[in-house]
Amino acid sequence: MDKEITIESYNLNWIKQFEEEKVKLKGMLGEKIQSIEHIGSTSVQGLGSKPIIDIAIGVEDLENVTEFIEPLKQLGYEYVLKEDFPERRFFRKGQWRAGTHHLHFYRFEGEHWNNQILFRDYLRENPDASKEYYQLKVNLAMKFRFDRVSYTQNKASFIQSVLRKAKKEEKSVKTKDNGLRFLEFLSISEEDIYTYDPLAGSFAVIKCHGDYLMCYNTWRKQWELPAGRREENETPKECAIRELYEETGQYVTHVAFKGLMKSVRTLNGEIRLNPIYFAEVSELQPFIENDETSKIKLWNLKDDIGVVDSVDIKIFDFI
């Protein structure tokens, strides 16, 4: 008989457990993978869940996952063949039907990877949908206390409904590729920032009345976040404050460090690590057009504002 299905209240330690596991996985798999994401209910703040940390790992080719089977045993993961799900490779840490961590390998940015991220992000951004999902899980756990297969199958219609709604509401934002590809977001403390190399210029993400400050770059002819190269003897935080002021006229000093954005220059494979800083303000300060920026505006991430930098837009998923 299966272990009883238990839906626990949201636990802040779930995020910590994911971050700790991510470090181990990244250290072992390194550049062989494209991205590591926290998915499933434990990745949605405030959402009660079974206490299982679901982790999605993006790879270029699923056939290459075979070479991870033996190394992952060192971290306690067992490969579980799922012939009914050819689009995924699955590993479990813990006993059968009682795992503590699940690894799901998908083709990076393929349909199934994108659906996992889309469902997670929709629940994060829509508290009512998150509450509805929680109540459904509680009801199903009571109905199918020892039947995990039925429990999972009866969630499917809700998940598909959310995906349809999310895709319908999702605006087709026009993006521009400037030769960089987003790899991952590293949630580290600011004290550890200098242990990473090479550090590139800093970004400043400013939120005002629920929307985000964007500036229009006259050279690249696109909307982007305030950012730029660090000057000599300048700290990453000082760089973010200065670039924000120079490009948008906003003088904000209470910016907080959120992490590092890792990207790669597609032309030569050069890795970039950009410090990301964030602050909320109640009002915008006056803007004066300059050589680099012709206009600024607040954006809700949905409206069609024109072309947006394809890497910058990824940052909003982690703020």
Side-chain angles (χ1 to χ4, degrees):
M1 180 181 293
D2 288 350
K3 180 181 178 182
E4 183 176 2
I5 299 171
T6 303
I7 305 300
E8 297 185 2
S9 299
Y10 178 75
N11 189 334
L12 280 171
N13 284 329
W14 290 338
I15 295 178
K16 181 180 179 182
Q17 290 172 33
F18 163 73
E19 293 296 342
E20 291 173 346
E21 204 69 12
K22 180 179 178 180
V23 170
K24 298 175 186 176
L25 291 165
K26 186 64 178 175
M28 173 170 286
L29 305 178
E31 300 304 320
K32 298 177 181 179
I33 60 176
Q34 304 301 310
S35 184
I36 302 177
E37 294 282 346
H38 192 182
I39 60 170
S41 295
T42 59
S43 69
V44 181
Q45 188 167 354
L47 177 58
S49 173
K50 300 192 304 298
I52 300 172
I53 308 302
D54 284 290
I55 302 171
I57 300 183
V59 294
E60 291 287 352
D61 188 347
L62 282 176
E63 296 303 317
N64 296 334
V65 176
T66 303
E67 66 181 271
F68 303 150
I69 293 177
E70 288 302 317
L72 285 172
K73 287 181 179 179
Q74 300 175 34
L75 297 180
Y77 286 98
E78 175 187 359
Y79 174 63
V80 181
L81 179 63
K82 298 278 188 178
E83 294 183 340
D84 293 340
F85 299 95
E87 75 284 349
R88 178 185 67 163
R89 301 293 184 270
F90 179 73
F91 292 74
R92 181 189 66 243
K93 176 183 280 191
Q95 298 299 314
W96 183 74
R97 297 296 193 208
T100 60
H101 298 70
H102 289 167
L103 294 187
H104 312 262
F105 284 85
Y106 296 101
R107 184 172 63 82
F108 182 58
E109 294 188 337
E111 178 185 0
H112 298 283
W113 170 276
N114 291 340
N115 282 345
Q116 288 288 348
I117 304 302
L118 185 61
F119 182 72
R120 177 199 68 186
D121 290 349
Y122 190 87
L123 293 186
R124 285 178 173 178
E125 297 166 8
N126 294 271
D128 289 343
S130 179
K131 292 176 183 176
E132 184 179 353
Y133 189 43
Y134 171 71
Q135 191 57 56
L136 172 65
K137 293 195 299 177
V138 169
N139 293 341
L140 291 176
M142 293 176 62
K143 185 176 181 180
F144 303 106
R145 290 175 57 198
F146 299 98
D147 185 352
R148 288 177 180 257
V149 173
S150 296
Y151 169 84
T152 300
Q153 290 176 343
N154 281 272
K155 292 191 301 178
S157 60
F158 177 87
I159 293 171
Q160 291 304 315
S161 174
V162 166
L163 286 173
R164 286 193 297 269
K165 187 180 299 184
K167 291 174 181 177
K168 184 177 180 180
E169 294 181 3
E170 191 177 37
K171 297 290 183 178
S172 180
V173 178
K174 304 182 188 71
T175 59
K176 182 179 180 181
D177 182 353
N178 288 291
L180 291 172
R181 180 164 63 87
F182 174 86
L183 293 178
E184 63 177 321
F185 192 87
L186 304 175
S187 298
I188 65 169
S189 66
E190 191 168 15
E191 291 76 14
D192 295 331
I193 193 171
Y194 290 109
T195 64
Y196 289 80
D197 186 68
L199 285 180
S202 300
F203 281 75
V205 183
I206 302 299
K207 192 173 186 179
C208 181
H209 303 304
D211 297 332
Y212 293 91
L213 177 64
M214 304 292 289
C215 53
Y216 190 81
N217 187 291
T218 54
W219 304 330
R220 289 186 282 269
K221 300 188 183 305
Q222 65 176 21
W223 289 97
E224 57 190 38
L225 288 167
R229 296 178 180 176
R230 193 164 71 254
E231 295 183 351
E232 188 176 359
N233 298 322
E234 189 176 49
T235 68
K237 182 175 182 178
E238 290 169 343
C239 173
I241 294 171
R242 176 183 53 76
E243 287 291 339
L244 174 64
Y245 178 71
E246 290 180 354
E247 295 183 10
T248 71
Q250 311 304 303
Y251 184 64
V252 181
T253 60
H254 63 281
V255 292
F257 179 71
K258 303 298 288 186
L260 293 175
M261 178 184 69
K262 183 177 182 180
S263 61
V264 60
R265 191 172 295 282
T266 53
L267 185 63
N268 58 14
E270 176 190 355
I271 297 295
R272 295 165 59 93
L273 294 164
N274 296 95
I276 310 298
Y277 287 84
F278 171 79
E280 287 199 52
V281 299
S282 58
E283 298 293 339
L284 292 185
Q285 300 164 28
F287 166 73
I288 299 177
E289 184 176 348
N290 54 70
D291 290 341
E292 186 175 357
T293 307
S294 61
K295 51 189 173 182
I296 65 173
K297 75 175 304 176
L298 291 172
W299 185 38
N300 62 8
L301 308 184
K302 296 181 179 180
D303 292 344
D304 182 4
I305 62 171
V307 177
V308 180
D309 186 277
S310 61
V311 172
D312 290 21
I313 199 170
K314 297 285 189 179
I315 295 174
F316 296 114
D317 292 337
F318 305 93
I319 298 299

